[in-house]
Amino acid sequence: LGCGAGRLTIPIALRRTVEIAGVDISENMLELAQARLEDLSMKHLIRWLLGDGRSLPAELGRIDVAYSMITLQHIPHEGQASYIREVGAALVRGGIFRFQVLEGERQTFLHHEVGELFLKQACGEAGLKITTLDRVPAFNGSTEVTPLWVTAVKT
């Protein structure tokens, strides 16, 4: 989710024998991703779907795993909760959602009031149980925000 031009989606698809769908809000990014697949002569390897995360495309259907990195911090607080609910609704029982958010002070750029309490509440409302919550050093060495990696399972 938030696949952009397929920078992570395509390498994952090249190593797996499962159906993969990339979802992004930008038609241009999806077109770039499809062009990259065509350059690899694998144009039917991934389904590219337009969606903003607040409501997943209906053609996505039920999913076993969802992955999102460097996406949620660009969505306001209420949109992040909706995104998590949508993924929870799409996941099969036992399905896994692995995603990354930024934790920081309320006034911090790209924070949107996301923290452990918000994540537990949003995941709980989505029928997801958080199994791991990992805090890692920020990419740019920032001490204002901490990337949180969340793994949640559909109960």
Side-chain angles (χ1 to χ4, degrees):
L1 302 167
C3 66
R7 185 174 50 92
L8 296 175
T9 312
I10 292 170
I12 291 169
L14 293 173
R15 290 170 178 79
R16 301 287 179 238
T17 57
V18 296
E19 182 180 353
I20 295 183
V23 178
D24 201 89
I25 193 170
S26 169
E27 286 184 61
N28 290 339
M29 286 291 138
L30 295 175
E31 289 169 6
L32 288 170
Q34 183 60 30
R36 289 182 66 204
L37 271 185
E38 289 174 7
D39 287 347
L40 295 169
S41 299
M42 299 180 171
K43 64 182 178 181
H44 299 294
L45 189 62
I46 301 170
R47 290 185 303 145
W48 302 108
L49 304 173
L50 188 64
D52 69 359
R54 295 175 184 160
S55 59
L56 293 174
E59 61 268 36
L60 182 64
R62 304 290 287 162
I63 56 176
D64 297 308
V65 176
Y67 179 83
S68 182
M69 177 181 171
I70 313 174
T71 301
L72 289 179
Q73 66 246 31
H74 298 287
I75 301 171
H77 188 258
E78 63 281 353
Q80 291 183 32
S82 180
Y83 199 119
I84 292 169
R85 279 193 304 273
E86 284 289 310
V87 172
L91 282 171
V92 299
R93 181 184 277 289
I96 299 169
F97 185 21
R98 176 79 167 161
F99 62 99
Q100 173 262 336
V101 295
L102 294 179
E103 180 181 52
E105 298 295 323
R106 183 182 183 120
Q107 70 277 7
T108 304
F109 179 63
L110 295 177
H111 171 252
H112 300 302
E113 301 177 50
V114 174
E116 192 169 337
L117 181 61
F118 164 77
L119 293 169
K120 286 180 178 178
Q121 181 178 348
C123 285
E125 290 173 0
L128 301 169
K129 180 182 180 200
I130 295 176
T131 57
T132 60
L133 185 65
D134 301 315
R135 286 176 172 85
V136 298
F139 319 116
N140 61 0
S142 170
T143 57
E144 294 180 0
V145 294
T146 302
L148 292 178
W149 277 99
V150 179
T151 302
V153 177
K154 175 73 177 255
T155 55

